[in-house]
Amino acid sequence: MTKAPQTPTQILRPIELALDLARQAQSLGEVPVGAVIVGPDGSTLASAHNRVILDHDPTAHAEILAIRQAAGNLGNERLLGCDLYVTLEPCAMCAGAISFARLRRVYFAAYDPKGGAVDHGPRYFGQPTCHHAPDVYGGIAEGDAAILLRDFFATRR
């Protein structure tokens, strides 16, 4: 049985941490996305920001890096009972990793009509080939995340 979603305060703390990580990514020239994974006991298991440019790795999205770190910290590829907080709607690659990791819930800030794969695009978790679909809650602190992304891409144009 899935426990009820957390209280607003329990949701906002990790989202704020993810936003701080997104700001760090932005200061390094990376797309400002941050991710935090919280364990079943409420402790932070992992946190990361995009490192695609720094690591010369197209898979170094914040979600992927946080999943790798959490799995290593737990010593298990399954992140059962864990929740992901991320500043941007996950892409298809990240949605696949979220499914394989068996994350319980995904909370994301800004929607991504162009590259998102949860509420947009392929809607990965709704596909019949998806083996595990977490509960998803979008639009948490959306304004703060959207401003970061808009400002970042405005300087690139």
Side-chain angles (χ1 to χ4, degrees):
M1 179 175 171
T2 301
K3 290 171 34 180
Q6 299 166 334
T7 67
T9 302
Q10 291 171 313
I11 294 168
L12 288 176
R13 282 190 192 121
I15 283 287
E16 286 298 326
L17 177 55
L19 286 165
D20 288 343
L21 291 162
R23 290 180 191 97
Q24 289 176 29
Q26 183 177 25
S27 73
L28 297 168
E30 296 279 356
V31 175
V33 177
V36 173
I37 295 180
V38 173
D41 65 354
S43 66
T44 300
L45 292 175
S47 60
H49 60 70
N50 275 5
R51 294 187 53 89
V52 172
I53 296 166
L54 290 169
D55 292 356
H56 309 289
D57 179 357
T59 70
H61 289 197
E63 301 96 322
I64 300 289
L65 297 174
I67 287 169
R68 287 177 186 159
Q69 183 183 14
N73 288 341
L74 289 176
N76 195 327
E77 73 281 6
R78 300 285 191 239
L79 302 179
L80 301 174
C82 297
D83 299 333
L84 171 70
Y85 299 80
V86 63
T87 59
L88 184 63
E89 177 182 348
C91 69
M93 174 182 69
C94 293
I98 289 164
S99 178
F100 287 124
R102 303 297 195 265
L103 284 159
R104 173 178 57 179
R105 296 184 197 116
V106 174
Y107 297 91
F108 69 86
Y111 290 89
D112 186 359
K114 183 176 178 182
V118 176
D119 279 354
H120 295 90
R123 299 174 195 247
Y124 186 89
F125 300 130
Q127 297 301 316
T129 55
C130 178
H131 296 291
H132 169 77
D135 294 332
V136 177
Y137 305 91
I140 315 281
E142 180 180 12
D144 294 337
I147 288 168
L148 272 175
L149 290 158
R150 257 194 315 271
D151 290 351
F152 176 81
F153 286 111
T155 64
R156 300 285 187 259
R157 292 186 184 113

